[in-house]
Amino acid sequence: MQRVRSIEAIFFDGDQTLWDFETMMRRALAATLAELHRLRPEVAREHPDLDVDSLIADREEVAAELRGRESNLERIRLVAFRRTLSRCGLEDNGLADHLNTYYLEHRFSNVLLYPDTVAALTSLRADYRLGFLSNGNSYPDRCGLDGIFTAVVFAQDHGISKPDRRIFDIAAAQIGLPPERLVMVGDSLTKDVTAAQEAGWRGIWLNRTAAPCPDEHRPDAEIATLEELPAVVESLASRSV
């Protein structure tokens, strides 16, 4: 009986799937806050409550206000730094641009790939085309994964974010395969797994924290680490005809 491969490409989410974005982001914000204190020492004295969490809150507030009007995450972060400076009573005069550049440099200078990332991607490349599909702005070529992915799709470039199925259609078109030949791997049940399934893909949930799976989600497979992925994808991909 002939064995055929029903999956030809695997797409990956980035943040909290291939790298620890949360830690990267908080470290970069802490360094940026220290840079602000260096340039404007009065901020530390007059605003002792200005910390990483408040910078995150400013960014989330700005993102909510700009939703539907701005999709570029670097610009959203820039506006958030301007919001922080204004809240502290500081004139901008290019300071927000400096902080934004400083933040991005620090975020990408200390990339925290998960220990299982490179080995899993290297193994899978032998048999499948690999794609990258992200709502974020962590670029694979700046995260030590240059040349790994056949297709790289950022939601911010299209003004459409996961879980909107249109971004999955864009990714399928970019890699040149029908949805039934594709699988999505990610840490979000809503944005990566169920959304992919609704677009006709298969979805694998990377559950690093052993969280319970709500009844409304039914991943095609669940893995605790990327080390499990090659065997799981092979099981899904191979069928008898």
Side-chain angles (χ1 to χ4, degrees):
M1 188 174 296
Q2 183 183 10
R3 307 283 288 180
V4 300
R5 190 174 297 279
S6 62
I7 294 172
E8 295 185 47
I10 307 164
F11 275 80
F12 291 84
D13 174 55
D15 298 344
Q16 306 309 126
T17 296
L18 300 179
W19 45 72
D20 186 352
F21 171 78
E22 184 72 17
T23 299
M24 290 162 54
M25 179 262 293
R26 296 186 74 90
R27 285 183 180 178
L29 285 176
T32 305
L33 183 58
E35 174 70 356
L36 175 59
H37 288 163
R38 183 185 71 84
L39 295 171
R40 299 289 192 275
E42 69 274 19
V43 171
R45 297 191 304 270
E46 298 172 5
H47 301 278
D49 58 339
L50 182 62
D51 58 10
V52 167
D53 287 327
S54 61
L55 293 177
I56 293 172
D58 283 343
R59 191 267 180 202
E60 294 307 306
E61 184 179 89
V62 166
E65 293 173 3
L66 295 179
R67 187 168 294 119
R69 294 186 289 129
E70 178 60 80
S71 60
N72 184 277
L73 301 182
E74 285 91 343
R75 288 196 289 269
I76 290 172
R77 178 67 71 182
L78 173 60
V79 175
F81 281 130
R82 288 174 178 160
R83 173 73 53 85
T84 300
L85 295 179
S86 176
R87 187 160 56 81
C88 292
L90 295 173
E91 292 186 10
D92 188 339
N93 295 326
L95 180 56
D97 289 275
H98 172 74
L99 295 176
N100 202 40
T101 299
Y102 192 90
Y103 165 77
L104 291 171
E105 288 176 350
H106 277 260
R107 209 182 90 191
F108 287 112
S109 68
N110 190 19
V111 175
L112 298 173
L113 291 174
Y114 287 113
D116 51 10
T117 294
V118 173
L121 295 178
T122 301
S123 175
L124 289 163
R125 284 184 74 197
D127 296 307
Y128 305 95
R129 281 184 270 173
L130 303 185
F132 182 81
L133 175 55
S134 175
N135 284 355
N137 64 337
S138 294
Y139 308 103
D141 60 341
R142 296 187 67 180
C143 293
L145 300 177
D146 190 24
I148 295 289
F149 300 104
T150 301
V152 175
V153 179
F154 285 99
Q156 69 172 7
D157 295 335
H158 302 278
I160 306 167
S161 300
K162 297 178 292 182
D164 192 317
R165 76 160 291 162
R166 291 175 295 170
I167 197 67
F168 290 91
D169 294 340
I170 289 170
Q174 185 164 322
I175 208 164
L177 289 169
E180 62 269 19
R181 300 284 181 180
L182 302 173
V183 65
M184 181 74 198
V185 180
D187 67 297
S188 172
L189 280 167
T190 301
K191 296 177 182 179
D192 297 320
V193 178
T194 300
Q197 292 170 325
E198 291 175 349
W201 301 30
R202 275 168 276 196
I204 296 177
W205 185 29
L206 176 58
N207 183 12
R208 294 186 183 275
T209 61
C213 183
D215 292 339
E216 64 267 26
H217 297 286
R218 296 184 179 275
D220 290 287
E222 177 181 336
I223 56 176
T225 74
L226 292 176
E227 293 173 353
E228 303 170 49
L229 190 57
V232 168
V233 172
E234 183 65 27
S235 177
L236 289 176
S238 299
R239 61 183 176 87
S240 301
V241 295

